[in-house]
């Protein structure tokens, strides 16, 4: 709580008490004295965690909008940018937008159709972590090659994300084809039996 003290003006006489209470301290003075409830300038959120920033915003009567943004700086998990900047008068609605540092985003490389070992080497080279391996029978992808990844190729993910991948294995014979092969085998056996019968003279 601010206390009022007699304030001297140019004539050397103190201002009336009510006038002293209405003296405008200005943004710079508010920033220098720290946060106060119902602050009229943007508090300094840079370097805070989102949790601490929300507590500070509630105390200062500020509406805080938090978004994650990829950064290579050391402020991952902490606020590294805000708008308006600290000490600047708040806009209508007392809203401050802050950016929380997250791991840089990269695109998942397209390794579909590549040999499994080659595909894993590419994923590791860009900072991704191959994880779960799933086998799937495929008639369109060469055995031992990658069918697809999850997340899919082209998706934006943080560095270090675990990537699952599907590897092609030999497809099962189709039932109809298997039945045809069985009939052919039976037909060959019948022909051979007929040819082996003794001829009547």
């Amino acid at each position: 709580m601010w206390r009022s003290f007699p304030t001297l003006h140019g004539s050397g006489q103190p201002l009336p008490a009510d006038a002293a209470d209405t003296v405008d301290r200005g943004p710079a003075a508010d920033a220098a004295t720290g946060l106060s409830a119902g602050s009229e300038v943007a508090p300094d959120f840079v370097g805070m965690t989102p949790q601490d920033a929300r507590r500070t915003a509630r105390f200062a009567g500020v509406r805080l909008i938090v978004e994650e943004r990829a950064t290579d700086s050391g402020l991952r998990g902490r606020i590294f940018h805000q708008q308006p900047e600290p000490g600047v008068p708040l806009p209508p609605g007392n809203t401050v937008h802050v950016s929380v540092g997250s791991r840089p985003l990269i695109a998942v490389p397209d390794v579909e159709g590549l040999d499994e070992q080659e595909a894993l080497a590419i994923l590791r080279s860009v900072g991704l972590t191959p994880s779960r391996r799933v086998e799937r029978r495929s008639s369109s992808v060469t055995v031992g090659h990658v069918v697809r990844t999850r997340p899919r190729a082209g998706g934006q993910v943080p560095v270090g994300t675990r990537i699952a991948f599907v590897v092609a294995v030999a497809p099962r014979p189709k039932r109809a084809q298997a039945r045809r092969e069985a009939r052919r085998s039976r037909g060959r056996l019948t022909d051979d039996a007929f040819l082996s019968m003794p001829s009547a003279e």
Side-chain angles (χ1 to χ4, degrees):
M1 178 68 70
W2 288 92
R3 299 181 59 188
S4 300
F5 295 94
T7 304
L8 299 180
H9 57 89
S11 63
Q13 299 298 320
L15 289 173
D18 56 348
D21 287 340
T22 60
V23 171
D24 183 10
R25 296 189 303 273
D30 280 340
T33 56
L35 300 176
S36 61
S39 176
E40 296 179 357
V41 298
D44 187 356
F45 295 111
V46 175
M48 292 185 182
T49 64
Q51 294 78 10
D52 289 342
R54 289 189 179 96
R55 285 193 291 268
T56 301
R58 282 196 297 271
F59 176 76
V62 171
R63 179 170 175 261
L64 195 67
I65 297 179
V66 180
E67 65 173 1
E68 284 195 354
R69 190 186 299 177
T71 177
D72 290 321
S73 72
L75 290 179
R76 293 177 189 170
R78 295 181 177 271
I79 294 170
F80 68 93
H81 179 267
Q82 72 175 70
Q83 186 63 38
E85 296 180 353
V88 174
L90 289 169
N94 290 1
T95 300
V96 177
H97 296 257
V98 297
S99 299
V100 178
S102 65
R103 290 177 293 174
L105 298 178
I106 57 174
V108 178
D110 186 358
V111 295
E112 295 179 8
L114 298 182
D115 173 77
E116 179 181 356
Q117 296 306 316
E118 180 184 359
L120 299 187
I122 291 174
L123 291 174
R124 293 189 183 100
S125 70
V126 298
L128 300 176
T129 305
S131 59
R132 187 180 175 210
R133 181 185 188 274
V134 178
E135 292 185 348
R136 179 159 299 175
R137 299 182 183 276
S138 175
S139 59
S140 59
V141 179
T142 304
V143 173
H145 289 225
V146 174
V147 178
R148 65 172 175 269
T149 60
R150 183 174 296 176
R152 299 298 294 266
Q156 296 288 324
V157 297
V159 171
T161 296
R162 297 170 67 86
I163 306 295
F165 58 98
V166 179
V167 177
V169 295
R172 290 192 182 95
K174 294 182 179 179
R175 291 183 179 179
Q177 181 180 351
R179 285 196 294 269
R180 285 195 298 269
E181 291 295 333
R183 284 197 296 269
R184 290 195 191 99
S185 297
R186 288 196 296 270
R188 284 194 294 270
L189 289 173
T190 303
D191 292 342
D192 292 343
F194 176 77
L195 293 173
S196 64
M197 291 176 62
S199 59
E201 296 182 355

